[in-house]
Amino acid sequence: MSIERVRGYFKELGIEDKIREFDVSSATVALAAEALGCEGARIAKTLSFALGERTVLIVAAGDARIDNRKYKDKFSSKAKMLEHDEVTARIGHAVGGVCPFAVNEGVEVYLDESLKRFVTVFPACGSSNSAIELTIPELERYSNYIEWIDVCKLPE
């Protein structure tokens, strides 16, 4: 089970007790915000893309959307999200629980600038009913991200 993989990863870091599990689904931004009692923008959603043979995860604010022009400028390719049935095999977490922690080897993690508006954010922890509250420096440390990027647009 994917949450056990994340729990093991966080145990090595001494923060497994920060994982929150819910009796309700947190598989979408709206459901996670409701379960946590916070605004949806603070949900750190993890979007999964196929970039040729590469698997790319972009962690972005819950209210942000991929800006196709910015994505293409950054990655020199059109944004192509992973197919639902590819997600678990390529990332190691199922849809609804995709997160940047304890992912399969070779998965590239990027953090989107849209997250920098917040002191803390809530990414999932490998299941459709879990989350963890992290500061931005903690998210950087635990996600093993490659770099900060700007590929999203915020609502107007």
Side-chain angles (χ1 to χ4, degrees):
M1 195 163 152
S2 194
I3 189 167
E4 294 308 321
R5 187 173 173 182
V6 174
R7 190 182 312 285
Y9 173 70
F10 282 155
K11 185 173 185 168
E12 291 177 15
L13 300 167
I15 62 164
E16 77 275 13
D17 59 334
K18 290 181 69 169
I19 296 174
R20 296 175 64 181
E21 289 186 84
F22 313 107
D23 293 330
V24 296
S25 176
S26 59
T28 66
V29 169
L31 291 171
E34 187 175 325
L36 288 157
C38 73
E39 63 180 302
R42 287 185 58 212
I43 303 303
K45 64 184 176 184
T46 304
L47 305 169
S48 50
F49 296 90
L51 195 55
E53 295 301 311
R54 296 164 53 197
T55 301
V56 171
L57 297 181
I58 298 174
V59 185
D63 62 345
R65 300 287 174 258
I66 292 295
D67 180 308
N68 289 319
R69 172 83 279 163
K70 289 180 177 181
Y71 184 97
K72 189 167 186 176
D73 288 348
K74 172 64 186 169
F75 293 107
S76 302
S77 180
K78 183 179 175 189
K80 180 185 181 301
M81 293 195 78
L82 289 181
E83 296 294 329
H84 191 275
D85 60 348
E86 297 179 285
V87 173
T88 303
R90 288 183 71 160
I91 297 168
H93 304 307
V95 172
V98 174
C99 63
F101 318 112
V103 296
N104 291 342
E105 190 173 325
V107 173
E108 301 172 27
V109 176
Y110 296 88
L111 303 179
D112 187 76
E113 294 283 334
S114 60
L115 294 166
K116 288 187 174 179
R117 300 175 285 158
F118 307 105
V119 174
T120 63
V121 293
F122 295 93
C125 291
S127 71
S128 62
N129 68 329
S130 64
I132 188 168
E133 184 174 15
L134 297 174
T135 64
I136 298 304
E138 287 172 329
L139 178 63
E140 289 176 332
R141 187 172 333 125
Y142 303 140
S143 68
N144 296 309
Y145 77 110
I146 293 171
E147 67 179 313
W148 282 96
I149 60 175
D150 180 12
V151 295
C152 288
K153 56 186 169 190
L154 296 174
E156 297 185 17

